[in-house]
Amino acid sequence: MIFLIAIIGGGIVGTLIARELNKYVEDVWLFEAKTNFGMAVTKSNSAILHGGYDDPPGSLRAQLCYKGNQLYTQLQKELNFDLKRVGSHVVAIEDEETNYIYDLLKKAEKNGVKEVRIVEKLELLEMEKNINPKAKRSLFCEIAGIFDPWIVAIQAAKSVRINGGRTLTKKRLVEVEKKNGKFLLKFQDKSEYFADLVINAAGLYADDVAKLFGDEVPEIFPVKGEYFLLSKDYQYVNSTIFPVPTGISKGCLVLPTVDGGYLVGPNANRVMSKNDTATTREGLNEIREKGMRLVPNLNFRRHLVKTFAGLRPETEKKDFYIDVGKSGAIHVSGIRSPGLTAAPAIAKYVVEYLIQEKIGLKIYQRENYIAEMEKTPHLVHIDRDKWNKIIQEDPNAGEMICHCNKVTKKEIIDSINNGARTLDDIKFMTRASFGECQGGFCTAKILKILAEYTNRDPREINQNEDGTWIVNAKVRI
Ligand SMILES: Cc1cc2nc3c(=O)[nH]c(=O)nc-3n(C[C@H](O)[C@H](O)[C@H](O)COP(=O)(O)OP(=O)(O)OC[C@H]3O[C@@H](n4cnc5c(N)ncnc54)[C@H](O)[C@@H]3O)c2cc1C
């Protein structure tokens, strides 16, 4: 009898759970409502690999954050994505903030995090020359890092496909029935699938999805965080700079992105709708002011690339809720920060503890499992001689399409061969149109390549979801 495991939700958590399970079971099916993986909460956040020193000792967050941080070293090698352990500082500017830094040090000890130390003013200003000169000292964590979390989700989904699992997009779960001991999963597009075991990793909607199974999990409410993305033109900071936090969040930070830009944000405001990702004038003013308290020379006028907002899946308890429901489905819910960092540890918790120990399912590691994955390198980052050789074999590697982020036609074609079908797929898989001009110069070219290599009319190409077309009449491109 075939034993099929379904995962609902293809963010960083769902894709890594699918990948972890796929090491044991071939028939893992991942269902995602959007057109690609990692396109919801996983794409709009600070993208920090946290050190795990500040989560409340004894919480599930604390248990899984530091472990997740450590698991990223192996994960990065296997899934082949950029990860830079640039470190992080929590900076005390006022004298009274210093006490918090020492409290954090004690918390780090309780959480088993050894890789932290207090850095005094002189050393801090040497490490970060643009930081507020009034800064007194900081708590430095050397294992904190930065990465592109949506790439992890996209690569993890690809790894499931390579290892015999199925990954399906545009599959929004809307109804569940229990039939002959199995779950009958019904999707918005009217398709239906039977599954023996289901894992709900639906992010902001995990509480709504739990209800489809007749299960209760803590209610999720969205807490918005707004950001500025600044360009690579000036080197503001080398590492992530945190303020002493507020009670609601880790505070508004200044940090580098893994491809060389900078983020300033986020704030934290509870909103009514799980779709409200609009930025606001008040919110942006707030983070501009808070960012400049940490790094006074931030130049928002000259270096602004874009603003954006993400929604934290928050609960009253502020902790992850990961358990088996009465229905027998597993709910991975309330995955707020540090969910990106904890994700690989959450995946192991679900597979090794909930499935193998608590449910008692006997599963064994597959011998034919392929852990390591290839990914087209960003050509501008490789050695020039190597790049020249690649151009000899494939002239598309010498044709620059996105001039801001230096993305070649070859990289765009490779992403299409890896499943990209929308402009956002190309944007998030290659960073083309992600730079200063925000696609002003390259969108038409990318549209043409997408149409040609997927054998479609340009009018059929969407930005992301169905109906988000770019051109709706015959045009000359
Ligand atoms: C402002 C902000 C800053 C943050 N900063 C950090 C940070 O620096 N470091 C860190 O570690 N964490 C951070 N986080 C937390 C982190 O982003 C989240 O914990 C993580 O992305 C959650 O991933 P997920 O896979 O659970 O959710 P998602 O990425 O939202 O994935 C859930 C998926 O389920 C799909 N889905 C929903 N309903 C259905 C359905 N009915 N059927 C099928 N599919 C469905 C969605 O489309 C979505 O793709 C931050 C979060 C925010 C908002």
Side-chain angles (χ1 to χ4, degrees):
M1 192 186 83
I2 297 171
F3 192 86
L4 193 139
I5 304 187
I7 290 103
I8 308 298
I12 196 165
V13 174
T15 53
L16 286 179
I17 293 173
R19 180 173 186 268
E20 192 62 34
L21 260 170
N22 202 212
K23 293 178 184 168
Y24 300 80
V25 180
E26 194 167 328
D27 266 317
V28 170
W29 290 46
L30 176 62
F31 296 92
E32 165 54 44
K34 290 185 177 283
T35 53
N36 203 346
F37 302 96
M39 292 296 119
V41 183
T42 296
K43 115 176 135 54
S44 305
N45 49 62
S46 308
I48 299 167
L49 188 70
H50 285 296
Y53 50 82
D54 70 335
D55 297 297
S59 65
L60 206 45
R61 273 162 55 192
Q63 192 184 320
L64 299 174
C65 182
Y66 182 54
K67 190 173 171 201
N69 180 304
Q70 293 175 313
L71 288 171
Y72 263 92
T73 303
Q74 181 72 14
L75 190 68
Q76 187 265 335
K77 278 192 210 129
E78 292 181 354
L79 293 186
N80 210 335
F81 56 92
D82 291 338
L83 166 68
K84 295 181 185 166
R85 292 198 186 254
V86 292
S88 67
H89 293 272
V90 183
V91 179
I93 295 177
E94 305 298 335
D95 273 331
E96 54 272 24
E97 292 178 343
T98 285
N99 290 340
Y100 180 84
I101 302 282
Y102 285 103
D103 285 349
L104 261 190
L105 198 59
K106 285 187 206 142
K107 227 185 207 181
E109 205 182 322
K110 284 190 187 147
N111 287 346
V113 182
K114 293 172 212 75
E115 299 86 346
V116 284
R117 67 184 172 95
I118 302 284
V119 169
E120 293 297 338
K121 184 176 184 113
L122 267 183
E123 189 186 352
L124 175 59
L125 294 180
E126 254 172 43
M127 290 169 95
E128 294 291 351
K129 68 179 171 49
N130 290 313
I131 211 164
N132 188 337
K134 289 186 191 149
K136 303 277 184 308
R137 54 186 57 81
S138 74
L139 180 93
F140 181 63
C141 177
E142 67 188 47
I143 55 168
I146 47 174
F147 65 114
D148 282 340
W150 58 89
I151 294 287
V152 179
I154 290 169
Q155 286 290 87
K158 186 175 165 189
S159 135
V160 170
R161 290 193 291 278
I162 286 175
N163 283 289
R166 292 277 310 267
T167 65
L168 296 96
T169 51
K170 297 198 203 174
K171 293 282 178 197
R172 181 176 296 282
L173 184 72
V174 288
E175 207 182 322
V176 179
E177 254 181 60
K178 208 126 190 218
K179 262 193 177 172
N180 306 329
K182 288 180 186 269
F183 293 102
L184 175 61
L185 306 175
K186 300 183 178 181
F187 293 87
Q188 202 168 33
D189 63 359
K190 307 281 180 231
S191 58
E192 297 183 352
Y193 299 82
F194 276 105
D196 297 274
L197 179 62
V198 181
I199 297 148
N200 159 21
L204 277 167
Y205 298 89
D207 55 347
D208 302 322
V209 168
K211 284 191 190 125
L212 301 179
F213 291 84
D215 291 335
E216 282 291 326
V217 299
E219 186 199 346
I220 293 173
F221 52 88
V223 175
K224 190 191 282 186
E226 294 165 87
Y227 292 90
F228 286 98
L229 173 63
L230 304 184
S231 71
K232 305 167 188 169
D233 297 338
Y234 180 80
Q235 193 175 347
Y236 283 114
V237 288
N238 302 310
S239 56
T240 295
I241 311 295
F242 290 98
V244 162
T246 61
I248 312 171
S249 74
K250 291 183 173 69
C252 176
L253 3 152
V254 180
L255 73 145
T257 64
V258 78
D259 81 318
Y262 298 90
L263 286 177
V264 185
N267 50 0
N269 290 310
R270 189 167 170 168
V271 289
M272 297 307 290
S273 161
K274 289 180 179 178
N275 294 315
D276 177 2
T277 51
T279 52
T280 62
R281 186 184 296 249
E282 306 76 54
L284 294 174
N285 282 341
E286 178 193 349
I287 56 178
R288 188 186 288 119
E289 200 176 294
K290 288 183 173 165
M292 287 176 79
R293 182 170 179 262
L294 290 176
V295 179
N297 66 348
L298 287 173
N299 190 332
F300 292 89
R301 205 168 278 171
R302 176 174 281 193
H303 296 141
L304 178 68
V305 174
K306 66 176 282 188
T307 60
F308 67 95
L311 298 173
R312 301 171 181 86
E314 195 59 90
T315 59
E316 287 299 342
K317 280 203 166 165
K318 297 181 181 294
D319 201 2
F320 303 156
Y321 176 90
I322 309 173
D323 212 343
V324 187
K326 276 196 218 129
S327 69
I330 293 174
H331 302 293
V332 183
S333 178
I335 310 299
R336 41 96 81 201
S337 186
L340 304 172
T341 313
I346 293 175
K348 285 199 181 291
Y349 183 86
V350 168
V351 176
E352 292 172 6
Y353 171 58
L354 291 183
I355 297 184
Q356 299 193 78
E357 263 187 51
K358 196 163 177 181
I359 297 181
L361 192 67
K362 296 266 174 286
I363 47 177
Y364 303 95
Q365 295 254 7
R366 293 164 60 195
E367 276 173 15
N368 58 351
Y369 184 75
I370 305 161
E372 301 215 345
M373 305 257 316
E374 298 229 323
K375 183 176 167 291
T376 308
H378 190 15
L379 293 174
V380 74
H381 288 161
I382 67 171
D383 175 85
R384 287 293 152 117
D385 290 337
K386 256 193 194 166
W387 189 359
N388 264 329
K389 267 195 196 145
I390 298 175
I391 294 174
Q392 305 304 320
E393 286 163 20
D394 181 353
N396 290 324
E399 189 177 337
M400 200 58 81
I401 300 295
C402 166
H403 287 265
C404 300
N405 280 341
K406 311 270 183 295
V407 184
T408 63
K409 187 171 177 184
K410 174 178 169 44
E411 289 160 75
I412 290 171
I413 295 169
D414 283 357
S415 72
I416 295 170
N417 292 337
N418 275 322
R421 290 296 176 270
T422 68
L423 288 174
D424 271 4
D425 290 347
I426 306 254
K427 175 176 172 177
F428 286 98
M429 286 161 89
T430 67
R431 280 194 174 269
S433 78
F434 216 134
E436 284 88 318
C437 89
Q438 287 290 290
F441 288 98
C442 60
T443 297
K445 287 183 190 169
I446 298 171
L447 188 69
K448 195 176 169 196
I449 299 169
L450 244 178
E452 184 185 336
Y453 282 81
T454 57
N455 216 4
R456 288 179 295 170
D457 187 286
R459 287 169 289 190
E460 291 168 43
I461 309 282
N462 286 318
Q463 183 71 42
N464 41 56
E465 306 296 317
D466 287 347
T468 58
W469 45 265
I470 309 298
V471 290
N472 73 343
K474 201 162 173 55
V475 286
R476 193 159 52 92
I477 54 173

